[in-house]
Amino acid sequence: MPHVAESGGDTSVFDATHDAYSLPAPGLSSAHRAAFFVGNSFFNQNWVGAPSSIDSRDGLGPLFNARSCSGCHFKDGRGRPPAAGESLSSLLIRISREGERGVHGAPLGDAVYGDQLQGNGLPGVPKEAEVKIDYEALAGAFPDGERYVLQKPHYRCEELGYGPLGPGISMSPRVAPAMIGLGLLEAVPEGTLLALADEQDRDHDGISGRPNRVTDVVSRQSAIGRFGWKAEQPSVLQQIAAAFQGDLGLSSALFPEQNDTAAQAPARAQPTGGAPEVSAEILKAITIYARVLAVPARRNHQDASVSQGEELFGSVGCAACHVPTLRTTELADLPELHAQEIHPYSDLLLHDLGPGLSDERPSFAAQGSEWRTPPLWGIGLVRKVNGHDRLLHDGRARGFQEAILWHAGEANPARTRFERLPRSERAALVAFLESL
Ligand SMILES: [Ca+2]
Ligand SMILES: [Ca+2]
Ligand SMILES: [Ca+2]
């Protein structure tokens, strides 16, 4: 185990305040630092409906989830499910038709509602739906008798704006992940990920990670997915262009269409904010911004209980998926991130975590129960930055212990070993996660 503070190598920042996710990596060239600040302002600005007097900020919607990127990635951090009585804000719902797939296994959207539910519309454009969540309590106990209660979410669509959803529609709820270290993850060579993969479990350790294989929309070729909860996007650029289209209703060179369908006449009737609505310059600046947001260094990494927890993280089997150390290679356009030893605690591969976490919505190579191992770097600062402790793809877990207890499938043995640890060692493992 690495036992070092600098999870992002030389590009780590020492800041544990609520700005911890918002800082540029140290050592950027002056051009990249300038692009960072331009990207930062577009990441935080509210877009408006077209037409507006300022062409560089219009084109929002007509259907959208939020008015800005930071509306969901607040403080470049993590979203959460709504509290009782709130509407969805930093959690979004992907939808698709069961049993039907497109190129490279892409999910296909509903004929009327498309591939994502947008809960907001411009004036005169009905929003698509108001989604409500009910939680079912699941009580359990550790072998030593300590009790816990997990909560399983169930989703209901109300106030559907364009008639009923088609038959056989599956829904995949996801919270916005933190934005840190993404350029470093992009700079991990494909060969490293392929070497970590063990699709047939040839080494018989019960872990069979595999890459998602998705469509690169620029080359139209199949590519390894790295970003998003199911690794459905191959690059930060494509992830961001997809967010502009799906989440904000803004077209770009990568995704020139609006996000509405022909069946949504009030949306189709709206003016657009240009073709495309997001210029190449703005897309480029936000992409640089997102790639160089720094990873915060660990705190208290030498405390006795944290060190003990770090060892347990290895011996219990967490590190089989949450791989502690990777190395970056050269990126032609971002030499600042070159040759770093990084500690993301992820293999960026898909793993089957069992039916309890399944969204029953296959996407490209990923089955419903398969998720990308999420990086754990910086995760101990979620409460500080975002003021909540909600974890997992849909934010169902309240804190680290619940997140671990939801692990099943390939992670069954690791979870069982965690459950059997004495209480003080379970606490040490959680203290290690808090130090990240
Ligand atoms: Ca638009
Ligand atoms: Ca939609
Ligand atoms: Ca294996």
Side-chain angles (χ1 to χ4, degrees), residues 321 351-358 369-371 392 403 406-411:
C321 303
H351 294 276
D352 185 338
L353 278 225
L357 285 172
S358 175
S369 57
E370 284 180 308
W371 300 95
L392 297 175
W406 276 107
H407 282 60
E410 289 173 50

Side-chain angles (χ1 to χ4, degrees), residues 198 201 203 205 207:
D198 183 19
D201 193 17
D203 64 1
D205 66 350
I207 309 282

Side-chain angles (χ1 to χ4, degrees), residues 5-125:
E6 290 89 344
S7 301
D10 298 338
T11 69
S12 309
V13 287
F14 288 81
D15 188 308
T17 69
H18 80 245
D19 291 326
Y21 296 160
S22 299
L23 303 173
L28 293 182
S29 70
S30 54
H32 287 154
R33 236 184 119 73
F36 175 91
F37 289 107
V38 174
N40 178 51
S41 68
F42 283 107
F43 189 83
N44 289 308
Q45 86 165 1
N46 276 347
W47 294 78
V48 298
S52 117
S53 54
I54 309 170
D55 184 48
S56 61
R57 49 182 288 211
D58 74 3
L60 177 74
L63 292 166
F64 56 97
N65 291 96
R67 290 184 159 78
S68 68
C69 307
S70 61
C72 291
H73 301 274
F74 183 60
K75 300 290 294 171
D76 306 293
R78 177 188 285 257
R80 59 165 177 79
E86 274 179 1
S87 296
L88 301 195
S89 56
S90 51
L91 180 153
L92 59 79
I93 312 255
R94 297 266 159 72
I95 52 174
S96 55
R97 284 179 259 164
E98 279 166 16
E100 289 178 59
R101 310 283 284 281
V103 180
H104 299 138
L108 293 178
D110 179 65
V112 176
Y113 287 91
D115 58 10
Q116 183 168 316
L117 290 176
Q118 284 87 9
N120 290 295
L122 292 177
V125 179

